Amino acid sequence: MDLPVAEWKSYLLQKWSLLPKSIQVTVSTAETLSDVFLHSSSLLQPEDEIFLKRLSQGYSVGKDSGAPLFYREEGNKTFQEKDYTVAAVLYSKGVSHSRPNTEDMSLCYANRSAALFHLGQYEMCLKDIIRAQTHGYPERLQPKIMLRKAECLMALGRLQEARQTISDLERNFTASPTLADFPSQSVQRNLHLLKMKAQDKENLTETFPVALAKTLEGVDLREENKQLSNASSSVGLCMDPLKGRYLVATREILPGEPLVKEDAFVSVLNPGELPPLHHSLESKWDTRVTNGDLYCHRCLKHTLATVPCDGCSYAKYCSQECLQQAWKLYHRIECPLGGLLLTLGVFCHIALRLTLLVGFQDVSKIRKLCDEFSNKDIPESSNWVKTLNSGLGEIEKNGKIVETPIPGCDVNGKYESNYQAVFNLLPHTENHSPEHKFLCALCVNALCRQLEAASFQPVTTGASSSQLKAAVAPELCPDMTVWGVVMLRHMLQLQCNAQAITTILHTGSKEGIVTGSRQVRLATGIFPVISLLNHSCSPNTSVSFVSTVATIRASQRIGKGQEILHCYGPHKSRIGVAERQQKLRSQYFFDCTCPACQTETRCMAARPRWEAFCCNSCRAPMQGDDVLSCGRRGCAESVRRDHLTSRLQDLRQQVGMAQKLLSDGKLEPAIQQLSWCQHDAGSFLSAEHAVLGEIEDGLAQACAALGDWQKSATHLQNSLRVVEARHGPSSVEMGHELFKLAQIFFNGFAVPEALSTIQKAEEVLSLHCGPWDDEIQELQKMKSCLLDLTPTPVGSSV
Ligand SMILES: [Zn+2]
Ligand SMILES: [Zn+2]
Ligand SMILES: [Zn+2]
Ligand SMILES: [Zn+2]
């Protein structure tokens, strides 16, 4: 999804392969990015644009007048099944397709308020009731939402307002004849119940504790760094001809210490799995729940109550504020291009958004510099960049050219999280394959032509188009080339500098007692300071996100002078050394020489335990390459590796089937299947093999769902051993697993075990995620709940 959709990608690659050799050579040997851009521009033909347009139109990003009713009905079905979360999302989809101030919109909001009410999200519910009313909720249905409003207010402890709503409702009822056709008996009865409830509540004088707000102030960098914005004073920026820029510890750093806290300079929500492209009219609307339905497209906050853009059905926000900010900063230009941006992929989208954020003035600054130097043939990799860089500095310093010691720093030598820093991230132009450069250049060219066309088009989407014209026309159209070259540079930079913004998604059985968790990618962003960190497959930091803000924490002690390292993705506990090396070379253009890679390359035989095979007869580890033999002296067992590999493949399939049974709530068959898998695994996999861990984890979930906490805890402790062997005792993975174990002990009322597990989980998680993490908050709630229980003297358990 970072790159263009498969159809457009293969179309372009085929186009490339059919180009005459001479043209391929011209593009491949172009010395500057602007040459690449211009050559490609001449190759983008009208038929290519028609093909791209057809692909883009396959995404439903506009408002579809039939959709609100369809989604409302789908939502109602799900609501009947009591799946309120999915119902809320379906109503949101209905809202996105509705025009403002229509019955469609008000009904979708009203229905969503009901789903939110059942989910206990009273504040959100109230907001939706107000939205339903402002968009013209029908008079005849008013009592329904008024009752809901009163109930919400009571649940929130706002009794005064609740009473007011109830008496308003009563007055309406007696006064308005239009309400006569409303099933008045049921309303009257509800009203009566509500009044009694309100009375009861008033007798309670207790005030409700205000939910602890998750604040970003929770993370403190102790002392602000004078040379490096967004970093703690224990971090220093260095430069080395071989390594480039890197960060070191300027004093001893303790585990868990926050080192960098940086808001993304730019970020774009990953659309999640895109619906298959459809070109036929009869195709159904998509009812799947994706990231795009659950997270604010600007700040990435999780919400079930999104507010849609007025112009499209695609962009959704957590609040009116985010909607307005996004519109002002970039969405007014992006709105009419939704389908195209989805087709061209997230990297191209980020490249556009970056230039929009910086604004037309700064990009035209770059244009001026480009004009100045366009006659000279300066290789992009060296002087062109330097010129632009010092040139930007030059403008700021009134004509004085100032040498900056480290690229990206300002004239005073300070590195800041700003556009200059972003611009200076390396595009690695010389390392990308010619096909890739061609692909990116054509995407950017196509985007530029659409921008140009949009700025001349008559109004098509209400206010947005005229504003687009006003915003783009004067600056952009005279010289689209500069704009394009800058976007191309950003698109190439992203391959090495994009940072995935992730979140932990809790997936539970329907019973919702024990949750599983997995990391999901929410968005792609650029963090200029974090980009300074070099890679290690066994890093000494970990990263966590709140909204679009990333925090880097030391995951272990880092001695003074030691380099601070971050993992770009291929971590030693997840991927074998050969695959890691291959990935780092092809994506990041370097050979990793981190200690983990060095050790593992030196002794290839020493495969990690979490993927090791063991002897069928004596359970000792098996050794060798194509033919494995038992490592224990005296045991003659030997077997071909491919035999074991195919056994493992079969086993994985069986485990997958068991997990499916589990998620369908078929607990007994799931346990049966998992026990069989466990038996099979034991005969050829090491006790710490990852698959064994998965099996134990599944058994733990099944037992928990059946209420057998003791068995569940035993299985989870086995799974915990595998996680520890693979990821280490203080890894974030270990933290998530300890969190699950704590939940199980908690639910089984095993108080001392629960308390000690909570403490361990807290220690590990706070190292990686800080005190405001959701899981830590949950652990603290569990702890205070356990401590409130009457203390039972040790040893007196029944
Ligand atoms: Zn937001
Ligand atoms: Zn829009
Ligand atoms: Zn490595
Ligand atoms: Zn053996």
Side-chain angles (χ1 to χ4, degrees), residues 295-301 303 316-319 321-323 547:
Y295 296 90
C296 175
H297 286 223
R298 175 170 176 263
C299 75
L300 303 178
K301 196 176 129 185
T303 177
K316 299 164 195 177
Y317 305 95
C318 70
S319 60
E321 293 72 54
C322 271
L323 182 148
S547 185

Side-chain angles (χ1 to χ4, degrees), residues 169-184:
L169 184 53
E170 279 180 316
R171 211 174 22 253
N172 281 3
F173 231 95
T174 45
S176 172
T178 52
L179 296 177
D181 58 340
F182 200 78
S184 61

Side-chain angles (χ1 to χ4, degrees), residues 163 185 211 222 287 327 386 395 403 421 469 538 601 665 671 784:
R163 235 189 349 229
Q185 268 187 341
R222 291 189 189 177
T287 52
W327 183 262
K386 223 190 266 168
I395 282 177
E403 272 300 315
K469 196 170 174 178
S538 168
T601 320
I671 290 182
S784 63

